[in-house]
Amino acid sequence: MTSADDGTLVATGAAVLYDVRDGVAVITFNRPQRLNAWGPDIAAGFYAAIDDAEADPAVRAIVVTGSGRGFCAGADLGPATSLEDPDSDTSGTDVAQLVGDRPPHFLTELRKPVIAAINGSCVGIGITHALMCDVRFAAAGAKFATAFTRRGLIAEHGITWILPRLAGWGAAMDLLLSGRTFLAEEAREFGLVNHVVAPELLLERAVDYAADIAANCSPASLAVIKAQAYGDALDGVAAVSARAETLMYESLARPDLIEGITSFFEKRPPNFPPLTQKG
């Protein structure tokens, strides 16, 4: 990060942009050609921006959004050609390097409120990050999906902790087991987003909301209330995330991952192998 003439921090790399306005840090995933798919460059830029926002006393609220048509369309597992190779060995995929050094639930541990402005596709690790934000705005028609079962993966990084708490058990199981795509309007019905607005007004509305918090709410109160809300009512996320990491490594060694991703790129129904005794 470097300082602009007005003192605002800006990203020196292209993967994540950072701007401060009216007490609000706006963090933008900026790989629109990949629908802001999550990878090491976005992870590193995001964590650096969050650290800057947390450390800056002028910042009292944080807005996270994406550039182009996507908020974050899941993990970036590389070009389709490598995934279509039946001899590819994904068991050696370094999940830690891909995800970065912080699980998504770190957003719940921040002292400052985090507002997601979901401008488009919000899938996989993208939806996990969005749900770990404190408040969510979504553009009308934005597409959401957990998608894990359709890629041969498991529910990752604490989504099984947060999703039932937001949407209720029945809706959470529907979305996790089916992996189906649903729109912002249905997400609002489930309680996964707080506000659905016209796409052209999304960022303005989210920043206005955050600016109102920045202008009118006590930073100390915000910090304590966040700790109360997550610490008192929602215990156990670290253990859930740790178990999910172990299961994630196991899923990477199975052929389901290759089939799930290959069928996705080939736009055909997947042909997963039958369940074995060991699962």
Side-chain angles (χ1 to χ4, degrees):
M1 298 284 177
T2 60
S3 293
D5 293 340
D6 62 357
T8 298
L9 293 172
V10 296
T12 54
V16 176
L17 304 179
Y18 184 94
D19 179 38
V20 177
R21 59 186 86 163
D22 299 325
V24 178
V26 180
I27 300 172
T28 306
F29 303 138
N30 192 42
R31 295 181 69 200
Q33 72 281 7
R34 299 286 289 174
L35 294 177
N36 302 313
W38 190 270
D41 55 349
I42 279 187
F46 183 52
Y47 303 148
I50 288 288
D51 287 346
D52 285 333
E54 272 281 276
D56 185 353
V59 172
R60 299 194 173 192
I62 301 166
V63 171
V64 180
T65 192
S67 60
R69 298 181 297 109
F71 176 77
C72 175
D76 189 348
L77 296 175
T81 51
S82 65
L83 297 171
E84 291 169 353
D85 181 357
D87 297 323
S88 294
D89 181 12
T90 56
S91 63
T93 299
D94 190 338
V95 175
Q97 183 181 22
L98 178 66
V99 173
D101 59 4
R102 306 181 201 182
H105 78 263
F106 91 97
L107 293 171
T108 69
E109 299 168 352
L110 300 178
R111 297 168 299 159
K112 301 176 181 180
V114 184
I115 294 92
I118 302 164
N119 54 299
S121 298
C122 187
V123 179
I125 195 169
I127 194 173
T128 304
H129 275 99
L131 297 182
M132 294 296 182
C133 294
D134 303 306
V135 178
R136 284 158 295 282
F137 288 72
K143 294 181 179 181
F144 295 74
T146 62
F148 306 119
T149 55
R150 300 190 180 217
R151 307 290 179 267
L153 295 170
I154 56 88
E156 64 187 7
H157 304 298
I159 194 171
T160 50
W161 172 77
I162 191 66
L163 185 56
R165 287 169 167 84
L166 292 174
W169 190 262
M173 293 305 289
D174 164 24
L175 301 178
L176 288 169
L177 295 179
S178 72
R180 65 182 178 85
T181 297
F182 57 102
L183 301 182
E185 291 75 11
E186 189 175 7
R188 179 175 55 189
E189 293 177 8
F190 288 146
L192 299 184
V193 300
N194 303 86
H195 307 279
V196 175
V197 300
E200 65 273 15
L201 299 177
L202 174 69
L203 188 57
E204 177 185 352
R205 284 283 305 277
V207 170
D208 284 350
Y209 177 90
D212 178 67
I213 289 176
N216 296 297
C217 298
S218 159
S221 294
L222 291 169
V224 171
I225 288 171
K226 276 199 66 169
Q228 285 178 296
Y230 292 106
D232 293 351
L234 307 178
D235 191 26
V237 63
V240 169
S241 292
R243 288 194 297 271
E245 184 171 349
T246 299
L247 293 169
M248 175 64 75
Y249 277 101
E250 292 176 1
S251 71
L252 289 170
R254 292 195 288 267
D256 303 58
L257 176 60
I258 290 292
E259 172 59 17
I261 296 173
T262 300
S263 61
F264 172 71
F265 282 114
E266 293 179 354
K267 301 185 185 305
R268 60 168 175 81
N271 182 26
F272 291 125
L275 190 66
T276 65
Q277 267 194 323
K278 294 182 179 180

